[in-house]
Amino acid sequence: LFSFLVFLKYQIYYGYPLQTYLEYPIIIAQDIILFLFILHFSGNMKQALLYTVTFVGGWCMLTLQKWIIDLAMNLCTLISAASKLAQLQCLWQTKDSGQVSALTWSMSAYTCA
């Protein structure tokens, strides 16, 4: 979600054409709905306000200085790769791949690279 928010803000900040980032608001809305479902069914709905304030505050702070948005854009690749490594570590420790398919992991690794 962080990466999608940064990509969207970056492209708006630098004035890219709307067609180049039109899918990001849809993906962000989808991720937020999924995140709210996770919070609801895990019984942590009270934390939703904290996460909302954090994301909105971060969204506003991204364009305070040009170097902040540029740094955030560069960190997105690192964050995406780190999340994949954390998922792989969890799979390795549990020795249970569950519903993971080789195709989705290879597409995810390809886009991350």
Side-chain angles (χ1 to χ4, degrees):
L1 184 58
F2 171 78
S3 297
F4 293 135
L5 287 170
V6 170
F7 286 147
L8 179 64
K9 189 70 166 186
Y10 183 87
Q11 294 192 6
I12 291 170
Y13 182 78
Y14 282 107
Y16 284 92
L18 181 63
Q19 297 84 1
T20 61
Y21 61 87
L22 194 56
E23 74 272 8
Y24 288 117
I26 297 166
I27 293 171
I28 290 169
Q30 181 182 18
D31 282 353
I32 288 172
I33 292 169
L34 179 64
F35 190 61
L36 288 174
F37 278 140
I38 291 170
L39 288 175
H40 174 72
F41 289 114
S42 66
N44 296 326
M45 200 59 182
K46 293 179 182 178
Q47 293 178 347
L49 180 61
L50 174 66
Y51 288 119
T52 302
V53 169
T54 302
F55 281 121
V56 169
W59 172 267
C60 294
M61 289 179 57
L62 281 174
T63 54
L64 289 177
Q65 296 286 327
K66 181 183 178 300
W67 66 270
I68 296 173
I69 189 78
D70 292 336
L71 178 66
M73 189 67 178
N74 290 329
L75 288 176
C76 283
T77 304
L78 178 66
I79 291 171
S80 294
S83 71
K84 299 299 179 244
L85 290 175
Q87 291 170 0
L88 285 173
Q89 181 185 15
C90 181
L91 288 173
W92 184 265
Q93 288 175 347
T94 61
K95 304 284 193 236
D96 180 27
S97 63
Q99 300 295 324
V100 178
S101 73
L103 178 63
T104 56
W105 271 98
S106 60
M107 288 188 323
S108 179
Y110 174 74
T111 57
C112 214

